[in-house]
Amino acid sequence: MTPALTLGDVLRRATEHLGKTSDTARLDAELLLAHSLGRERIELYTEFDRPLSDAELDGYRALVARRAHREPVAYILGEWGFRRLTLAVDRRALIPRPETEIVVERCLVRLRDVDAPRVLDVGTGTGAIALALADEHPGARVTGVDVSADALALARENVARTHLDVELLEHDLRIGLPSGPWDLVVSNPPYVEPEELETLMPDVRDFEPHLALVGRGATEAVARAAPAELAAGGWIVLEVGDGQAPATAALLDELGYADVATTPDLTGRDRVVEGRHVGG
Ligand SMILES: C[S@@+](CC[C@H](N)C(=O)[O-])C[C@H]1O[C@@H](n2cnc3c(N)ncnc32)[C@H](O)[C@@H]1O
């Protein structure tokens, strides 16, 4: 009789297997095993020598097979961390990214001295930015809009899950922004050019909604529409794609925004462009 595989054995094997397609194979293997066993990831380390039952092995193998087919770990787990929140995620909306946490950081800096700011999140997806702002600036009155009814349904689940007060509306940014005045308009709009879609990793291209990824001119549309709805002195904060920061900063200058500034993400890429609306 072959000895039963231990938790440590299966982690090693899964890491090797996933290493063919994932740069984060060990982390993926651990997250999936913890999820499959109903444990915290840290708890795995105290159980390395425990043999797994056949049922446990089968359950884990099924999850590893999904990841080997390039499904993002977040979609397999069904939830993902963003700032202080754990949000429901699935194929209806983009998985919130670490760089978007910097967008929230910049918004919080701009809202620091405003007790009850009115905030609009354009293209809210899971609701990540809107919910994080409501969570971390308790006085904020936050509205999230999206053109995707599917994404909004998921965002509603996240409002219920987090017990935070965020208003959600179906709205297409191409017709302008919902009526303000807003103290802050934030957006992580789709910023992949249509011809770049094929160059994205299959994990992204084949699983995340193309409506969330691809959008020619969405950043410019938000920047052009915002002044009509921003309060005097209100801020626009935009997440941009690699290499897009200089052109976006130049656009904000040209549109008359003041104090235009760019902030890098944790990998040093210029990722967030912001500016202040000076008009009345
Ligand atoms: C890059 S995702 C950002 C999602 C979320 N804010 C985040 O940062 O994780 C862009 C979002 O914009 C939405 N979107 C795309 N086109 C839009 C449009 N014309 N009007 C409003 N929202 C749009 C997509 O459905 C998607 O949820």
PDB file of all heavy atoms in Angstrom, residues 94 96 100 123-125 129 146-148 171-174 188-190 211-212, ligand 1:
ATOM      1  N   LEU A  94     -14.283  42.921 -12.809  1.00  0.00           N
ATOM      2  CA  LEU A  94     -12.825  42.864 -12.681  1.00  0.00           C
ATOM      3  C   LEU A  94     -12.420  42.537 -11.240  1.00  0.00           C
ATOM      4  O   LEU A  94     -13.061  43.004 -10.300  1.00  0.00           O
ATOM      5  CB  LEU A  94     -12.255  44.243 -13.045  1.00  0.00           C
ATOM      6  CG  LEU A  94     -10.747  44.315 -13.220  1.00  0.00           C
ATOM      7  CD1 LEU A  94     -10.402  44.143 -14.702  1.00  0.00           C
ATOM      8  CD2 LEU A  94     -10.188  45.655 -12.744  1.00  0.00           C
ATOM      9  N   PRO A  96     -10.400  43.312  -8.111  1.00  0.00           N
ATOM     10  CA  PRO A  96      -9.709  44.522  -7.646  1.00  0.00           C
ATOM     11  C   PRO A  96      -8.210  44.268  -7.510  1.00  0.00           C
ATOM     12  O   PRO A  96      -7.792  43.229  -6.997  1.00  0.00           O
ATOM     13  CB  PRO A  96     -10.335  44.800  -6.275  1.00  0.00           C
ATOM     14  CG  PRO A  96     -11.558  43.963  -6.206  1.00  0.00           C
ATOM     15  CD  PRO A  96     -11.385  42.818  -7.150  1.00  0.00           C
ATOM     16  N   THR A 100      -4.894  49.575  -7.429  1.00  0.00           N
ATOM     17  CA  THR A 100      -6.092  50.389  -7.211  1.00  0.00           C
ATOM     18  C   THR A 100      -6.213  50.814  -5.741  1.00  0.00           C
ATOM     19  O   THR A 100      -6.893  51.783  -5.410  1.00  0.00           O
ATOM     20  CB  THR A 100      -7.333  49.614  -7.706  1.00  0.00           C
ATOM     21  OG1 THR A 100      -7.081  49.235  -9.071  1.00  0.00           O
ATOM     22  CG2 THR A 100      -8.594  50.438  -7.658  1.00  0.00           C
ATOM     23  N   GLY A 123     -17.505  53.518 -13.020  1.00  0.00           N
ATOM     24  CA  GLY A 123     -17.049  52.187 -13.416  1.00  0.00           C
ATOM     25  C   GLY A 123     -16.689  51.406 -12.163  1.00  0.00           C
ATOM     26  O   GLY A 123     -15.564  50.954 -11.976  1.00  0.00           O
ATOM     27  N   THR A 124     -17.673  51.211 -11.307  1.00  0.00           N
ATOM     28  CA  THR A 124     -17.397  50.718  -9.944  1.00  0.00           C
ATOM     29  C   THR A 124     -17.088  49.220  -9.882  1.00  0.00           C
ATOM     30  O   THR A 124     -16.476  48.746  -8.926  1.00  0.00           O
ATOM     31  CB  THR A 124     -18.570  51.108  -9.010  1.00  0.00           C
ATOM     32  OG1 THR A 124     -18.154  51.023  -7.661  1.00  0.00           O
ATOM     33  CG2 THR A 124     -19.800  50.244  -9.243  1.00  0.00           C
ATOM     34  N   GLY A 125     -17.494  48.438 -10.881  1.00  0.00           N
ATOM     35  CA  GLY A 125     -17.175  46.996 -10.884  1.00  0.00           C
ATOM     36  C   GLY A 125     -17.714  46.309  -9.634  1.00  0.00           C
ATOM     37  O   GLY A 125     -18.913  46.386  -9.332  1.00  0.00           O
ATOM     38  N   ILE A 129     -13.610  50.461  -5.019  1.00  0.00           N
ATOM     39  CA  ILE A 129     -13.158  51.808  -4.635  1.00  0.00           C
ATOM     40  C   ILE A 129     -14.236  52.483  -3.778  1.00  0.00           C
ATOM     41  O   ILE A 129     -13.955  53.053  -2.723  1.00  0.00           O
ATOM     42  CB  ILE A 129     -12.853  52.660  -5.889  1.00  0.00           C
ATOM     43  CG1 ILE A 129     -11.689  52.051  -6.685  1.00  0.00           C
ATOM     44  CG2 ILE A 129     -12.540  54.106  -5.502  1.00  0.00           C
ATOM     45  CD1 ILE A 129     -11.416  52.740  -8.024  1.00  0.00           C
ATOM     46  N   ASP A 146     -21.998  52.090 -12.963  1.00  0.00           N
ATOM     47  CA  ASP A 146     -21.397  51.184 -13.951  1.00  0.00           C
ATOM     48  C   ASP A 146     -22.410  50.964 -15.059  1.00  0.00           C
ATOM     49  O   ASP A 146     -23.626  51.031 -14.820  1.00  0.00           O
ATOM     50  CB  ASP A 146     -21.020  49.843 -13.302  1.00  0.00           C
ATOM     51  CG  ASP A 146     -19.861  49.170 -14.013  1.00  0.00           C
ATOM     52  OD1 ASP A 146     -20.047  48.756 -15.183  1.00  0.00           O
ATOM     53  OD2 ASP A 146     -18.760  49.075 -13.419  1.00  0.00           O
ATOM     54  N   VAL A 147     -21.912  50.706 -16.260  1.00  0.00           N
ATOM     55  CA  VAL A 147     -22.800  50.421 -17.387  1.00  0.00           C
ATOM     56  C   VAL A 147     -23.212  48.940 -17.384  1.00  0.00           C
ATOM     57  O   VAL A 147     -24.176  48.564 -18.037  1.00  0.00           O
ATOM     58  CB  VAL A 147     -22.104  50.813 -18.720  1.00  0.00           C
ATOM     59  CG1 VAL A 147     -21.040  49.797 -19.104  1.00  0.00           C
ATOM     60  CG2 VAL A 147     -23.100  51.032 -19.832  1.00  0.00           C
ATOM     61  N   SER A 148     -22.465  48.123 -16.633  1.00  0.00           N
ATOM     62  CA  SER A 148     -22.723  46.680 -16.625  1.00  0.00           C
ATOM     63  C   SER A 148     -23.692  46.301 -15.503  1.00  0.00           C
ATOM     64  O   SER A 148     -23.376  46.457 -14.317  1.00  0.00           O
ATOM     65  CB  SER A 148     -21.388  45.935 -16.438  1.00  0.00           C
ATOM     66  OG  SER A 148     -21.627  44.632 -15.956  1.00  0.00           O
ATOM     67  N   HIS A 171     -25.345  53.440 -15.205  1.00  0.00           N
ATOM     68  CA  HIS A 171     -25.097  54.699 -15.915  1.00  0.00           C
ATOM     69  C   HIS A 171     -23.950  54.490 -16.903  1.00  0.00           C
ATOM     70  O   HIS A 171     -22.956  53.839 -16.574  1.00  0.00           O
ATOM     71  CB  HIS A 171     -24.715  55.793 -14.903  1.00  0.00           C
ATOM     72  CG  HIS A 171     -24.458  57.118 -15.539  1.00  0.00           C
ATOM     73  ND1 HIS A 171     -25.464  58.052 -15.738  1.00  0.00           N
ATOM     74  CD2 HIS A 171     -23.323  57.665 -16.058  1.00  0.00           C
ATOM     75  CE1 HIS A 171     -24.942  59.115 -16.335  1.00  0.00           C
ATOM     76  NE2 HIS A 171     -23.654  58.902 -16.538  1.00  0.00           N
ATOM     77  N   ASP A 172     -24.088  55.077 -18.086  1.00  0.00           N
ATOM     78  CA  ASP A 172     -23.049  54.990 -19.112  1.00  0.00           C
ATOM     79  C   ASP A 172     -22.241  56.288 -19.118  1.00  0.00           C
ATOM     80  O   ASP A 172     -22.808  57.356 -19.372  1.00  0.00           O
ATOM     81  CB  ASP A 172     -23.715  54.761 -20.482  1.00  0.00           C
ATOM     82  CG  ASP A 172     -22.695  54.458 -21.563  1.00  0.00           C
ATOM     83  OD1 ASP A 172     -21.521  54.852 -21.418  1.00  0.00           O
ATOM     84  OD2 ASP A 172     -23.093  53.836 -22.566  1.00  0.00           O
ATOM     85  N   LEU A 173     -20.947  56.196 -18.850  1.00  0.00           N
ATOM     86  CA  LEU A 173     -20.124  57.412 -18.749  1.00  0.00           C
ATOM     87  C   LEU A 173     -20.066  58.175 -20.064  1.00  0.00           C
ATOM     88  O   LEU A 173     -19.715  59.353 -20.092  1.00  0.00           O
ATOM     89  CB  LEU A 173     -18.717  57.070 -18.232  1.00  0.00           C
ATOM     90  CG  LEU A 173     -17.783  56.225 -19.112  1.00  0.00           C
ATOM     91  CD1 LEU A 173     -16.987  57.073 -20.095  1.00  0.00           C
ATOM     92  CD2 LEU A 173     -16.817  55.449 -18.233  1.00  0.00           C
ATOM     93  N   ARG A 174     -20.412  57.488 -21.182  1.00  0.00           N
ATOM     94  CA  ARG A 174     -20.320  58.169 -22.477  1.00  0.00           C
ATOM     95  C   ARG A 174     -21.391  59.247 -22.648  1.00  0.00           C
ATOM     96  O   ARG A 174     -21.300  60.073 -23.546  1.00  0.00           O
ATOM     97  CB  ARG A 174     -20.407  57.146 -23.619  1.00  0.00           C
ATOM     98  CG  ARG A 174     -19.119  56.319 -23.733  1.00  0.00           C
ATOM     99  CD  ARG A 174     -19.286  55.141 -24.635  1.00  0.00           C
ATOM    100  NE  ARG A 174     -20.312  54.227 -24.096  1.00  0.00           N
ATOM    101  CZ  ARG A 174     -20.509  52.992 -24.502  1.00  0.00           C
ATOM    102  NH1 ARG A 174     -19.770  52.494 -25.465  1.00  0.00           N
ATOM    103  NH2 ARG A 174     -21.436  52.239 -23.957  1.00  0.00           N
ATOM    104  N   ASN A 188     -11.427  54.164 -12.151  1.00  0.00           N
ATOM    105  CA  ASN A 188     -10.459  53.240 -12.740  1.00  0.00           C
ATOM    106  C   ASN A 188     -11.151  52.723 -13.999  1.00  0.00           C
ATOM    107  O   ASN A 188     -11.734  51.655 -13.999  1.00  0.00           O
ATOM    108  CB  ASN A 188     -10.146  52.108 -11.756  1.00  0.00           C
ATOM    109  CG  ASN A 188      -9.280  51.033 -12.384  1.00  0.00           C
ATOM    110  OD1 ASN A 188      -8.648  51.250 -13.417  1.00  0.00           O
ATOM    111  ND2 ASN A 188      -9.258  49.854 -11.770  1.00  0.00           N
ATOM    112  N   PRO A 189     -11.121  53.521 -15.068  1.00  0.00           N
ATOM    113  CA  PRO A 189     -11.898  53.150 -16.254  1.00  0.00           C
ATOM    114  C   PRO A 189     -11.190  52.046 -17.048  1.00  0.00           C
ATOM    115  O   PRO A 189     -10.004  51.793 -16.812  1.00  0.00           O
ATOM    116  CB  PRO A 189     -11.916  54.460 -17.060  1.00  0.00           C
ATOM    117  CG  PRO A 189     -10.673  55.165 -16.664  1.00  0.00           C
ATOM    118  CD  PRO A 189     -10.349  54.742 -15.255  1.00  0.00           C
ATOM    119  N   PRO A 190     -11.899  51.394 -17.954  1.00  0.00           N
ATOM    120  CA  PRO A 190     -11.201  50.426 -18.807  1.00  0.00           C
ATOM    121  C   PRO A 190     -10.156  51.175 -19.626  1.00  0.00           C
ATOM    122  O   PRO A 190     -10.485  52.183 -20.243  1.00  0.00           O
ATOM    123  CB  PRO A 190     -12.312  49.861 -19.703  1.00  0.00           C
ATOM    124  CG  PRO A 190     -13.480  50.750 -19.535  1.00  0.00           C
ATOM    125  CD  PRO A 190     -13.302  51.556 -18.306  1.00  0.00           C
ATOM    126  N   LEU A 211     -15.495  44.211 -21.109  1.00  0.00           N
ATOM    127  CA  LEU A 211     -16.057  45.549 -20.877  1.00  0.00           C
ATOM    128  C   LEU A 211     -15.295  46.294 -19.775  1.00  0.00           C
ATOM    129  O   LEU A 211     -15.224  47.519 -19.773  1.00  0.00           O
ATOM    130  CB  LEU A 211     -17.536  45.395 -20.483  1.00  0.00           C
ATOM    131  CG  LEU A 211     -18.380  46.651 -20.299  1.00  0.00           C
ATOM    132  CD1 LEU A 211     -18.432  47.466 -21.592  1.00  0.00           C
ATOM    133  CD2 LEU A 211     -19.792  46.269 -19.858  1.00  0.00           C
ATOM    134  N   ALA A 212     -14.718  45.541 -18.860  1.00  0.00           N
ATOM    135  CA  ALA A 212     -13.966  46.154 -17.754  1.00  0.00           C
ATOM    136  C   ALA A 212     -12.527  46.468 -18.156  1.00  0.00           C
ATOM    137  O   ALA A 212     -11.872  47.282 -17.523  1.00  0.00           O
ATOM    138  CB  ALA A 212     -13.959  45.224 -16.539  1.00  0.00           C
TER     139      ALA A 212
HETATM  140  C1  LIG B   1     -11.173  48.557 -14.894  1.00  0.00           C
HETATM  141  S1  LIG B   1     -12.803  48.168 -14.319  1.00  0.00           S
HETATM  142  C2  LIG B   1     -12.739  48.898 -12.700  1.00  0.00           C
HETATM  143  C3  LIG B   1     -13.589  48.209 -11.674  1.00  0.00           C
HETATM  144  C4  LIG B   1     -13.395  48.715 -10.234  1.00  0.00           C
HETATM  145  N1  LIG B   1     -13.632  50.151 -10.154  1.00  0.00           N
HETATM  146  C5  LIG B   1     -11.967  48.429  -9.768  1.00  0.00           C
HETATM  147  O1  LIG B   1     -11.156  49.363  -9.736  1.00  0.00           O
HETATM  148  O2  LIG B   1     -11.673  47.267  -9.427  1.00  0.00           O
HETATM  149  C6  LIG B   1     -13.778  49.310 -15.280  1.00  0.00           C
HETATM  150  C7  LIG B   1     -15.277  49.311 -14.999  1.00  0.00           C
HETATM  151  O3  LIG B   1     -15.878  50.284 -15.874  1.00  0.00           O
HETATM  152  C8  LIG B   1     -17.104  49.767 -16.347  1.00  0.00           C
HETATM  153  N2  LIG B   1     -17.423  50.436 -17.618  1.00  0.00           N
HETATM  154  C9  LIG B   1     -16.960  50.145 -18.872  1.00  0.00           C
HETATM  155  N3  LIG B   1     -17.507  50.976 -19.779  1.00  0.00           N
HETATM  156  C10 LIG B   1     -18.323  51.825 -19.080  1.00  0.00           C
HETATM  157  C11 LIG B   1     -19.179  52.897 -19.463  1.00  0.00           C
HETATM  158  N4  LIG B   1     -19.294  53.268 -20.743  1.00  0.00           N
HETATM  159  N5  LIG B   1     -19.890  53.540 -18.506  1.00  0.00           N
HETATM  160  C12 LIG B   1     -19.773  53.160 -17.194  1.00  0.00           C
HETATM  161  N6  LIG B   1     -18.993  52.139 -16.780  1.00  0.00           N
HETATM  162  C13 LIG B   1     -18.275  51.476 -17.703  1.00  0.00           C
HETATM  163  C14 LIG B   1     -16.873  48.280 -16.488  1.00  0.00           C
HETATM  164  O4  LIG B   1     -18.093  47.573 -16.494  1.00  0.00           O
HETATM  165  C15 LIG B   1     -15.974  48.000 -15.274  1.00  0.00           C
HETATM  166  O5  LIG B   1     -16.738  47.614 -14.162  1.00  0.00           O
END
